[in-house]
Amino acid sequence: MTDYIPDEIESRWQKRWRDEGAFEVTEDPKRPKFYCLEMLPYPSGDIHVGHVRNYCISDVVARYKAMRGFNVLHPIGWDALGLPAENAAIKRGVHPEQWTRENIAGMKRQLQRLGFSYPWSREIATCDPSYYRWNQWFFLRMLEKGIAYRAMAPVNWCPNDKTVLANEQAEGGVCWRCHGPVEQREMEQWFLRITAYQDQLLDDMAKLPAWPDRVLVQQKNWVGRSPGAEVDFPVEGAEAIRIFTTRVDTIYGATFLVLAPEHPRVDGLLAGGSDADLRRSLVAKLRGQDRRARLEGQVEKEGVFTGRYATNPYDGQKVPIWVGNFVLMGYGTGAIMSVPAHDQRDFEFARKYGLEVRVVIQPDGPPLEGAKLPAAYDGPGRLVNSDEFDGLASEDAIPRMAAHAQKKGFGKATVTYRLKDWLISRQRYWGTPIPVVYCPKDGMQPVPDAELPIVLPADAPFTGEGGNPLEKVAAFVNAKCPRCGGPARRETDTMDTFVDSSWYFYRYLSPRKDDGPFDPAAVRYWFPIDLYVGGIEHAILHLVYSRFWTKVMRDLGLVALDEPVTRLFPQGMVHKDGEIMSKSKGNTVAPDDVIAKYGADTLRLYVLFEAPPELSMDWSESRIEGPHRFLQRVWRLVDRHADSLANAPAPGPAAALPEPARELRRKVHQTIARVTRDIEERLQMNTAVAAMMELVNEIYRLEGVAANSPSVLNEALETLIRLLNPFTPHVCEEMWRRLEGPNTPGLVRAPWPAADEAAAREETVELAVQVNGKVRGRITAPVDADEDTVRRRALEEPRVVEMIKGKEVVKVVVVPGRLVSVVTR
Ligand SMILES: [Zn+2]
Ligand SMILES: [Zn+2]
């Protein structure tokens, strides 16, 4: 008897995999490839069980695919730039680089201790100049193409983190990092023109059938393409006002226009009249209100009547022109038609200022009356009070009425988008320096490729007093103009870290290449990524940016791909006591403690077995015991039989085997089919494990009798170990060696077992027997039994005999494989 001692087994196999480079791969055109990817971790300091779950799922697939004969690339790296490192530097006086490197070293040890099948020679860290020089290189290419550009913009500014944030990082006016309030500031910033790709980002979703709908829906909403119309409302003695609307079908219900306080026409319209000064001061007040609060409707709706009127070009009615704080420049034209009957914002404004509410859309049901509406009706319906368009369904009216405006020359159909260009500049140190300089004579000049990488200076001061530490390093700031050779100022903004993660999965292919970001031939071999596993929280941001980046690279002629990822799998979260596990809640679990107690294999098995991988799982220490006991049971089985099975032959034809042996073989081959299907089709690791647990129960039940057929018992154990190997690789390698002898090649590339359909087929089948429509008994019959045999057995079933005693059987119907129906009189 030998004991199962995970610690000893696991460290031995981890060392052997490392020494042998067991997971190192190169392009091999003779073998099919499988690129299995997980989202690279941020080196925050600890691997937590959320990471473990993510990486266990992809590790099972990677190891499984390797056993299926695929050439599997399953790399890992570090998303190593970004704010936390800089904040840690300010707080503890450690340089961001040192903090990052120490965290990487610790987390790498943790990952290795979990036995993941990574090719460590391909490890990358985005804070290496050899990595971020390619961010700079891509930036220069985008600058040449006009995709990268600089502009003044109102930006989201986090006063805590002292940096600009992308819109996506400031949703709801709250900073995604520190959760503090975000302010608006007007600053010169760098952008990437992602809006040039907005239609492709939407249309190419058709090429992503293996992405979950919930991710695509989020991306669709983020791009926010909405068809609408622009319509000119003539103004007497002045230029017409152009409005934008997504509901031109409601234009007969427009009872006033509203301009944004910043609209360039406002001052002109306010001129003249006795109370012009009063109106002007009211508008000034609106202009002073916080933009974001206005956008989100957090301020009371307020407006000022300009004293002027416009004309609705559809029906010639006069409509008053107002200025309102709920309209913003930057969306549409900064001017709207207000339809209070069918838009809630307009409705509230109209009620406040006593403006008319006119119904033009009638849903099914009693007729709506403007004066009595409790709230706006913004759903679809039939047009009323709309002249020639009366009776049209609203969705049909929209294109018809837009076309009408175009024909008559007072408007046109348009499309608007919610997506804004990607603001990538950050006023912080620990990011990729943007490779441009500013010359007093020549203006902004890109740094020549030959001068890349522009490396972060090691001696920046981290005082926490605000401002960008890079600005205080004279040796960094003082540069030479590449055009005139004169003194120039180097750009001190750095790039958003989402730039780093937009293309890192290409760098894994050629991690040490120094004359290009990657080898195009390697991309042709390995791409697209076959499976990408990561958190649903990346549905927008990372997963939109990386799709955009690939499209830009394609247009630069660097790759021949539209989309980088074939199949996306967002794994569920890990909860504890009903709450999301997070550092801030203080309910995180360190895998190290679990590993010390039970071993890495048990931890792996636990997170895979506990819940379907796409659903959240609740962490419970007490439930780790079950998977641990299971591994011990498997261990004992192998330990007990390994010696006697040393020279067992392959099982012969089924007919020659006694029934218990045939039964065991049946279970073995059914399990192969189930586990294969569960991994292959839906990544249902939990049901795959359940199937293997059933198999182990069956082996225990039959091991006594099956011992007379060593070939069958041997096949059962060999199969079990191979099926289990992707889940708990260390203990499987150890048991495999025990079973196959010390010189056996390991399981990393051992063939995945094939299910023998004949062996898996059930030999008998259970049928229900009904008497006059009610189930009265059950019989078993051979699968291939003819109808007469089944009928005879049914009529011999004791309970059925009882039921039909003294009656005349008029009909017996056999539904093969399911039931026998007996009818009596
Ligand atoms: Zn912040
Ligand atoms: Zn110059």
Side-chain angles (χ1 to χ4, degrees):
M1 251 325 250
T2 53
D3 285 331
Y4 172 38
I5 304 167
D7 199 40
E8 187 270 325
I9 294 171
E10 290 173 2
S11 47
R12 187 150 40 79
W13 281 98
Q14 283 158 10
K15 178 174 187 309
R16 181 161 157 187
W17 292 329
R18 254 197 319 278
D19 293 348
E20 290 177 353
F23 309 108
E24 300 295 341
V25 285
T26 49
E27 290 85 72
D28 175 1
K30 290 192 296 294
R31 279 197 297 158
K33 66 87 186 180
F34 193 89
Y35 189 170
C36 184
L37 183 68
E38 47 228 41
M39 290 182 187
L40 85 176
Y42 180 79
S44 58
D46 287 298
I47 291 292
H48 56 75
V49 293
H51 291 122
V52 173
R53 190 175 189 209
N54 179 346
Y55 306 157
C56 280
I57 293 166
S58 35
D59 200 51
V60 168
V61 176
R63 286 175 175 273
Y64 160 78
K65 286 285 178 182
M67 293 175 79
R68 294 296 303 251
F70 285 83
N71 191 20
V72 175
L73 177 62
H74 179 214
I76 191 83
W78 308 97
D79 191 10
L81 290 169
L83 276 176
E86 199 163 334
N87 291 341
I90 292 165
K91 215 153 102 190
R92 300 173 213 180
V94 193
H95 192 276
E97 167 130 28
Q98 190 193 338
W99 184 84
T100 305
R101 297 283 175 197
E102 284 171 7
N103 286 347
I104 288 177
M107 291 171 77
K108 183 173 177 176
R109 262 195 309 278
Q110 288 182 294
L111 292 182
Q112 289 180 330
R113 186 61 193 82
L114 278 151
F116 295 130
S117 58
Y118 299 134
W120 284 105
S121 73
R122 292 175 186 261
E123 177 185 6
I124 57 171
T126 59
C127 62
D128 282 333
S130 65
Y131 182 85
Y132 67 66
R133 78 176 282 186
W134 301 110
N135 288 343
Q136 296 171 339
W137 185 86
F138 282 123
F139 178 89
L140 292 173
R141 302 291 83 76
M142 293 191 201
L143 193 61
E144 288 159 7
K145 293 273 180 190
I147 294 168
Y149 68 95
R150 203 160 162 259
M152 281 299 274
V155 294
N156 305 299
W157 174 262
C158 174
N160 266 332
D161 290 319
K162 299 188 180 62
T163 190
V164 164
L165 302 169
N167 285 336
E168 295 85 333
Q169 297 166 341
E171 290 210 69
V174 172
C175 171
W176 71 306
R177 277 223 175 274
C178 69
H179 306 289
V182 173
E183 297 169 3
Q184 297 286 307
R185 282 194 186 180
E186 197 62 37
M187 288 171 83
E188 185 111 77
Q189 297 293 326
W190 284 99
F191 293 88
L192 297 184
R193 206 178 297 279
I194 191 172
T195 54
Y197 289 84
Q198 55 200 5
D199 284 313
Q200 286 185 45
L201 287 169
L202 290 175
D203 299 341
D204 284 354
M205 287 184 188
K207 298 171 184 164
L208 303 174
W211 280 44
D213 280 343
R214 58 193 172 128
V215 171
L216 297 181
V217 165
Q218 280 193 58
Q219 294 202 357
K220 211 172 269 179
N221 292 340
W222 189 254
V223 177
R225 177 163 72 190
S226 52
E230 284 180 10
V231 179
D232 292 331
F233 279 63
V235 181
E236 206 180 327
E239 220 182 298
I241 291 174
R242 171 156 289 201
I243 62 99
F244 168 78
T245 177
T246 57
R247 289 294 304 271
V248 70
D249 58 317
T250 65
I251 200 162
Y252 282 83
T255 53
F256 52 101
L257 298 189
V258 184
L259 306 188
E262 300 80 8
H263 196 288
R265 297 287 305 281
V266 168
D267 290 336
L269 292 166
L270 287 173
S274 55
D275 49 1
D277 285 344
L278 173 64
R279 288 173 177 161
R280 244 192 292 275
S281 73
L282 288 171
V283 168
K285 180 188 158 211
L286 301 184
R287 283 178 184 158
Q289 291 175 337
D290 182 69
R291 223 182 115 80
R292 175 167 291 276
R294 281 170 53 199
L295 179 66
E296 286 162 7
Q298 289 163 358
V299 289
E300 166 86 16
K301 287 178 190 59
E302 280 184 274
V304 183
F305 176 43
T306 60
R308 305 287 294 270
Y309 291 83
T311 308
N312 185 334
Y314 282 81
D315 62 4
Q317 293 217 37
K318 279 207 171 320
V319 289
I321 304 169
W322 284 70
V323 177
N325 61 352
F326 66 100
V327 180
L328 284 108
M329 291 303 292
Y331 178 76
T333 61
I336 63 159
M337 62 172 198
S338 269
V339 185
H342 305 294
D343 181 285
Q344 186 59 26
R345 263 177 349 174
D346 298 349
F347 181 83
E348 288 164 18
F349 193 83
R351 278 287 140 90
K352 176 163 179 176
Y353 293 103
L355 298 159
E356 188 194 347
V357 179
R358 191 190 304 152
V359 170
V360 291
I361 302 291
Q362 175 60 51
D364 292 341
L368 301 179
E369 273 180 75
K372 293 183 185 162
L373 279 182
Y377 170 73
D378 60 5
R382 301 245 161 229
L383 271 65
V384 293
N385 303 321
S386 301
D387 294 344
E388 61 190 283
F389 304 104
D390 274 358
L392 284 177
S394 31
E395 64 268 29
D396 300 332
I398 291 173
R400 284 270 288 273
M401 293 173 76
H404 177 80
Q406 193 142 0
K407 205 173 98 200
K408 297 279 180 181
F410 59 72
K412 60 176 184 186
T414 58
V415 179
T416 53
Y417 296 84
R418 187 170 171 264
L419 186 71
K420 300 272 180 284
D421 279 337
W422 177 9
L423 196 166
I424 59 153
S425 38
R426 299 289 180 272
Q427 290 67 47
R428 294 298 294 246
Y429 167 83
W430 195 230
T432 303
I434 292 176
V436 303
V437 299
Y438 301 94
C439 169
K441 227 171 79 203
D442 302 306
M444 190 273 291
Q445 292 293 318
V447 168
D449 283 7
E451 288 179 23
L452 300 185
I454 305 301
V455 177
L456 287 167
D459 53 354
F462 300 98
T463 59
E465 286 161 7
N468 184 342
L470 284 175
E471 286 169 355
K472 300 180 189 116
V473 186
F476 180 82
V477 175
N478 298 329
K480 208 172 74 177
C481 170
R483 174 165 289 207
C484 70
R489 182 179 63 80
R490 189 179 301 286
E491 173 66 89
T492 53
D493 283 0
T494 54
M495 296 183 203
D496 181 4
T497 58
F498 279 93
V499 166
D500 309 333
S501 53
S502 290
W503 69 279
Y504 73 100
F505 34 75
Y506 291 95
R507 186 65 182 168
Y508 283 138
L509 310 193
S510 330
R512 312 289 164 250
K513 190 174 167 65
D514 62 5
D515 58 352
F518 47 75
D519 173 6
V523 173
R524 281 195 294 276
Y525 179 78
W526 290 110
F527 268 76
I529 295 159
D530 296 277
L531 175 68
Y532 195 14
V533 183
I536 186 75
E537 67 274 20
H538 297 290
I540 50 167
L541 294 168
H542 167 56
L543 288 170
V544 176
Y545 294 151
S546 49
R547 292 181 59 216
F548 159 67
W549 204 275
T550 286
K551 292 173 195 301
V552 172
M553 294 204 313
R554 176 202 60 198
D555 292 349
L556 291 168
L558 299 169
V559 297
L561 289 157
D562 291 327
E563 292 288 341
V565 177
T566 301
R567 182 180 188 184
L568 175 73
F569 189 87
Q571 87 281 356
M573 302 215 196
V574 181
H575 292 191
K576 190 158 180 263
D577 311 319
E579 287 194 306
I580 294 173
M581 235 188 236
S582 74
K583 260 193 173 166
S584 55
K585 291 214 171 72
N587 63 350
T588 54
V589 173
D592 309 52
D593 302 341
V594 181
I595 292 172
K597 197 163 166 195
Y598 299 98
D601 281 331
T602 292
L603 174 57
R604 293 171 59 117
L605 195 65
Y606 166 63
V607 298
L608 291 164
F609 177 58
E610 187 64 10
E614 72 279 13
L615 300 184
S616 59
M617 68 169 272
D618 206 48
W619 181 272
S620 157
E621 190 88 30
S622 64
R623 294 188 50 82
I624 300 173
E625 287 286 344
H628 191 59
R629 274 198 306 272
F630 169 72
L631 290 181
Q632 286 173 320
R633 289 189 84 203
V634 178
W635 177 269
R636 281 199 302 273
L637 262 183
V638 173
D639 189 54
R640 186 148 65 225
H641 296 287
D643 292 335
S644 64
L645 295 177
N647 297 308
L657 295 172
E659 172 52 26
R662 284 214 304 280
E663 209 177 329
L664 182 55
R665 276 207 90 204
R666 194 150 56 232
K667 189 69 181 176
V668 167
H669 287 273
Q670 287 174 347
T671 307
I672 296 172
R674 271 178 68 182
V675 173
T676 307
R677 197 176 51 235
D678 286 348
I679 300 176
E680 189 76 49
E681 288 173 13
R682 292 170 50 231
L683 309 187
Q684 293 302 293
M685 312 310 180
N686 57 322
T687 53
V689 174
M692 290 185 276
M693 288 177 168
E694 277 180 38
L695 174 61
V696 169
N697 289 341
E698 197 69 357
I699 299 174
Y700 266 97
R701 191 172 71 83
L702 294 169
E703 68 174 323
V705 272
N708 298 326
S709 309
S711 62
V712 172
L713 186 59
N714 190 52
E715 185 196 36
L717 293 178
E718 283 183 351
T719 303
L720 172 66
I721 294 169
R722 283 190 287 166
L723 294 178
L724 194 56
N725 178 58
F727 298 79
T728 59
H730 314 86
V731 66
C732 287
E733 291 277 15
E734 190 68 17
M735 294 188 294
W736 188 248
R737 215 174 64 108
R738 193 85 175 73
L739 212 54
E740 308 294 310
N743 299 320
T744 184
L747 284 166
V748 170
R749 282 178 194 81
W752 186 252
D756 177 339
E757 269 186 54
R761 195 175 303 136
E762 290 290 346
E763 294 183 11
T764 58
V765 64
E766 197 185 66
L767 298 97
V769 185
Q770 294 181 344
V771 179
N772 297 331
K774 279 214 167 82
V775 176
R776 298 297 184 184
R778 292 182 187 282
I779 57 166
T780 13
V783 164
D784 51 4
D786 58 31
E787 272 197 27
D788 281 343
T789 313
V790 174
R791 191 176 289 128
R792 199 172 56 243
R793 286 215 186 164
L795 296 176
E796 285 166 0
E797 208 281 329
R799 284 197 59 202
V800 175
V801 171
E802 190 75 13
M803 290 298 300
I804 61 177
K805 198 188 285 173
K807 292 182 182 146
E808 183 191 350
V809 173
V810 292
K811 205 157 94 184
V812 180
V813 180
V814 176
V815 183
R818 292 196 42 218
L819 64 87
V820 183
S821 171
V822 181
V823 181
T824 63
R825 183 152 52 202

mmCIF file of all heavy atoms in Angstrom, residues 439-443 445 481-487, ligand 2:
data_model
loop_
_atom_site.group_PDB
_atom_site.id
_atom_site.type_symbol
_atom_site.label_atom_id
_atom_site.label_comp_id
_atom_site.label_asym_id
_atom_site.label_seq_id
_atom_site.Cartn_x
_atom_site.Cartn_y
_atom_site.Cartn_z
ATOM 1 N N CYS A 439 8.234 70.370 -31.328
ATOM 2 C CA CYS A 439 9.312 71.293 -31.679
ATOM 3 C C CYS A 439 8.714 72.692 -31.809
ATOM 4 O O CYS A 439 7.662 72.855 -32.410
ATOM 5 C CB CYS A 439 9.937 70.860 -33.008
ATOM 6 S SG CYS A 439 11.061 72.083 -33.712
ATOM 7 N N PRO A 440 9.358 73.717 -31.217
ATOM 8 C CA PRO A 440 8.791 75.076 -31.318
ATOM 9 C C PRO A 440 8.657 75.514 -32.774
ATOM 10 O O PRO A 440 7.806 76.329 -33.102
ATOM 11 C CB PRO A 440 9.802 75.949 -30.563
ATOM 12 C CG PRO A 440 10.863 75.055 -30.036
ATOM 13 C CD PRO A 440 10.593 73.645 -30.458
ATOM 14 N N LYS A 441 9.504 74.948 -33.649
ATOM 15 C CA LYS A 441 9.495 75.359 -35.054
ATOM 16 C C LYS A 441 8.572 74.472 -35.906
ATOM 17 O O LYS A 441 7.801 74.951 -36.714
ATOM 18 C CB LYS A 441 10.923 75.268 -35.600
ATOM 19 C CG LYS A 441 11.341 76.513 -36.378
ATOM 20 C CD LYS A 441 12.820 76.479 -36.712
ATOM 21 C CE LYS A 441 13.081 75.570 -37.906
ATOM 22 N NZ LYS A 441 14.462 75.079 -37.955
ATOM 23 N N ASP A 442 8.656 73.160 -35.680
ATOM 24 C CA ASP A 442 7.974 72.211 -36.576
ATOM 25 C C ASP A 442 6.708 71.607 -35.983
ATOM 26 O O ASP A 442 6.052 70.777 -36.620
ATOM 27 C CB ASP A 442 8.931 71.077 -36.957
ATOM 28 C CG ASP A 442 10.190 71.609 -37.625
ATOM 29 O OD1 ASP A 442 10.045 72.352 -38.606
ATOM 30 O OD2 ASP A 442 11.293 71.297 -37.144
ATOM 31 N N GLY A 443 6.410 71.958 -34.773
ATOM 32 C CA GLY A 443 5.197 71.393 -34.173
ATOM 33 C C GLY A 443 5.392 69.950 -33.764
ATOM 34 O O GLY A 443 6.519 69.486 -33.555
ATOM 35 N N GLN A 445 6.038 66.207 -33.871
ATOM 36 C CA GLN A 445 6.792 65.346 -34.779
ATOM 37 C C GLN A 445 6.846 63.916 -34.231
ATOM 38 O O GLN A 445 7.201 63.714 -33.070
ATOM 39 C CB GLN A 445 8.243 65.858 -34.906
ATOM 40 C CG GLN A 445 8.368 67.192 -35.617
ATOM 41 C CD GLN A 445 7.980 67.095 -37.090
ATOM 42 O OE1 GLN A 445 8.338 66.150 -37.779
ATOM 43 N NE2 GLN A 445 7.205 68.068 -37.552
ATOM 44 N N CYS A 481 14.424 67.461 -31.997
ATOM 45 C CA CYS A 481 13.436 67.391 -33.068
ATOM 46 C C CYS A 481 14.001 66.561 -34.215
ATOM 47 O O CYS A 481 15.091 66.835 -34.701
ATOM 48 C CB CYS A 481 13.107 68.800 -33.568
ATOM 49 S SG CYS A 481 12.121 68.791 -35.073
ATOM 50 N N PRO A 482 13.295 65.515 -34.637
ATOM 51 C CA PRO A 482 13.820 64.679 -35.710
ATOM 52 C C PRO A 482 13.876 65.418 -37.049
ATOM 53 O O PRO A 482 14.592 65.002 -37.945
ATOM 54 C CB PRO A 482 12.840 63.500 -35.757
ATOM 55 C CG PRO A 482 11.612 63.948 -35.054
ATOM 56 C CD PRO A 482 12.014 65.045 -34.112
ATOM 57 N N ARG A 483 13.138 66.526 -37.166
ATOM 58 C CA ARG A 483 13.125 67.235 -38.442
ATOM 59 C C ARG A 483 14.257 68.262 -38.523
ATOM 60 O O ARG A 483 15.059 68.252 -39.445
ATOM 61 C CB ARG A 483 11.779 67.934 -38.630
ATOM 62 C CG ARG A 483 11.731 68.831 -39.867
ATOM 63 C CD ARG A 483 10.344 69.217 -40.228
ATOM 64 N NE ARG A 483 9.614 68.075 -40.768
ATOM 65 C CZ ARG A 483 8.599 68.183 -41.620
ATOM 66 N NH1 ARG A 483 8.223 69.356 -42.050
ATOM 67 N NH2 ARG A 483 7.981 67.122 -42.049
ATOM 68 N N CYS A 484 14.365 69.166 -37.499
ATOM 69 C CA CYS A 484 15.354 70.245 -37.594
ATOM 70 C C CYS A 484 16.554 70.032 -36.683
ATOM 71 O O CYS A 484 17.524 70.772 -36.753
ATOM 72 C CB CYS A 484 14.703 71.600 -37.290
ATOM 73 S SG CYS A 484 14.250 71.796 -35.549
ATOM 74 N N GLY A 485 16.485 69.021 -35.837
ATOM 75 C CA GLY A 485 17.621 68.760 -34.958
ATOM 76 C C GLY A 485 17.687 69.684 -33.755
ATOM 77 O O GLY A 485 18.538 69.536 -32.900
ATOM 78 N N GLY A 486 16.768 70.642 -33.683
ATOM 79 C CA GLY A 486 16.759 71.586 -32.571
ATOM 80 C C GLY A 486 16.125 70.969 -31.329
ATOM 81 O O GLY A 486 15.637 69.841 -31.366
ATOM 82 N N PRO A 487 16.136 71.710 -30.228
ATOM 83 C CA PRO A 487 15.557 71.183 -28.994
ATOM 84 C C PRO A 487 14.037 71.054 -29.124
ATOM 85 O O PRO A 487 13.387 71.890 -29.748
ATOM 86 C CB PRO A 487 15.935 72.224 -27.934
ATOM 87 C CG PRO A 487 16.208 73.469 -28.693
ATOM 88 C CD PRO A 487 16.683 73.068 -30.059
HETATM 89 ZN ZN ZN B 2 12.041 71.023 -35.422
#
